[in-house]
Amino acid sequence: MHALHQILLFHVLTCLGRNAHGSVIIHGKKVPQNSMLYMASVQNSKHHVCGGFLISENFVLTAAHCDDEEPTSVVLGTHDITKADDSMRYSITKFKHPHYKGVSYGNDLMLLKLSRSIGLNDRVQQIPLPKDEKNMTENVECSVAGWGYTETSPLRIVDELRVANVSIINQDICNKTWGGLPANVICAGGYNTMKGFCQGDSGGPLVCDGQAVGVVSFNHKKNCNYPHIPNVYMDISKYLGWINDTLKENS
């Protein structure tokens, strides 16, 4: 990446990435109770702060920048987070990617080890990850889900999980539109469409063909009605070694 682009991108993402907390789905729909049972609400001592998703019986994957909100627990097993009880809440141990320095530098991943293994059942299931490194195909339709605002203005908050369909965007177009990007990202939604995540569904999964292939990282400022700028996710397939090693060493 050209040095000027690096400088500009750093300043842009320093502003944008830190505004990507919470969970927001724009122009989505309510998720049926019997689907997306891997979704997790990452919470601090006060409220929901980020999304996440269950990848094993005792680990949730989310975004590293969610740690800025000082999360202390994860809620699993409900689409309506106002109905969460103590049996659905798990305290956590955090494992940020060792090379994470900030959203503008990439590596925006964090594993959360649950205080106890969860028993998979008709309310909670894990989602598979890619088995090896892959490059996503342009225009493949995927989905992103989360809790929170459903519009930029007026702000409308919901407590029930919502989902939106988004399509994979050509990586060259995404890089050109942003003026450069961190390594190992996927772009989907928020470009020539009104659907995607906003401030911001951080940590939630980009799901394609039944697999979690990306982790919500950042978007464009606090304006969610922005068909000119793609949404950006971390590419999980590029981090399988770190994920598998962390799970093995800490299970």
Side-chain angles (χ1 to χ4, degrees):
M1 190 186 301
H2 189 278
L4 177 58
H5 281 176
Q6 285 185 313
I7 293 170
L8 290 174
L9 181 64
F10 173 79
H11 286 296
V12 169
L13 297 187
T14 297
C15 295
L16 303 189
R18 290 197 179 99
N19 288 329
H21 302 302
S23 251
V24 186
I25 292 296
I26 301 301
H27 297 160
K29 61 183 180 181
K30 190 182 298 185
V31 176
Q33 287 295 323
N34 61 348
S35 66
M36 305 190 83
L37 303 180
Y38 47 80
M39 287 297 298
S41 170
V42 180
Q43 303 191 1
N44 61 19
S45 59
K46 298 178 181 179
H47 49 67
H48 168 90
V49 295
C50 274
F53 48 104
L54 190 70
I55 62 170
S56 76
E57 291 195 25
N58 59 348
F59 273 94
V60 163
L61 184 59
T62 186
H65 76 257
C66 291
D67 196 37
D68 295 348
E69 298 291 339
E70 301 180 347
T72 57
S73 67
V74 162
V75 169
L76 290 153
T78 181
H79 284 359
D80 185 343
I81 54 176
T82 65
K83 296 180 179 179
D85 57 37
D86 288 344
S87 69
M88 302 173 181
R89 188 177 301 278
Y90 300 77
S91 57
I92 54 175
T93 302
K94 295 175 282 190
F95 299 89
K96 275 194 280 193
H97 191 278
H99 299 306
Y100 175 75
K101 297 180 180 179
V103 173
S104 57
Y105 297 99
N107 303 313
D108 189 14
L109 296 174
M110 179 166 63
L111 284 162
L112 306 176
K113 184 179 180 182
L114 307 180
S115 54
R116 61 190 188 279
S117 293
I118 190 166
L120 303 180
N121 52 47
D122 59 358
R123 291 191 302 116
V124 181
Q125 292 291 323
Q126 64 191 59
I127 185 170
L129 303 182
K131 296 185 182 301
D132 48 37
E133 187 172 327
K134 62 194 299 183
N135 293 315
M136 298 302 300
T137 303
E138 182 180 2
N139 295 325
V140 169
E141 187 171 274
C142 304
S143 64
V144 59
W147 292 269
Y149 302 139
T150 58
E151 294 183 16
T152 300
S153 181
L155 295 178
R156 294 183 179 179
I157 299 174
V158 296
D159 298 310
E160 294 182 271
L161 185 66
R162 299 182 71 85
V163 62
N165 293 331
V166 295
S167 296
I168 300 297
I169 296 168
N170 180 281
Q171 196 68 21
D172 291 336
I173 292 175
C174 192
N175 270 291
K176 183 177 179 180
T177 305
W178 275 99
L181 288 169
N184 303 329
V185 299
I186 297 171
C187 299
Y191 180 77
N192 291 333
T193 178
M194 301 300 289
K195 292 183 178 181
F197 64 79
C198 185
Q199 296 341 109
D201 218 19
S202 296
L206 177 66
V207 178
C208 306
D209 195 26
Q211 291 184 336
V213 301
V215 176
V216 173
S217 186
F218 62 86
N219 64 359
H220 190 239
K221 298 183 180 178
K222 293 185 178 181
N223 176 19
C224 302
N225 300 317
Y226 49 93
H228 60 298
I229 298 291
N231 291 171
V232 181
Y233 302 76
M234 296 310 305
D235 184 345
I236 291 173
S237 78
K238 306 299 194 297
Y239 294 93
L240 293 174
W242 171 73
I243 292 170
N244 292 331
D245 288 347
T246 303
L247 266 60
K248 183 178 180 179
E249 293 168 6
N250 296 282
S251 293

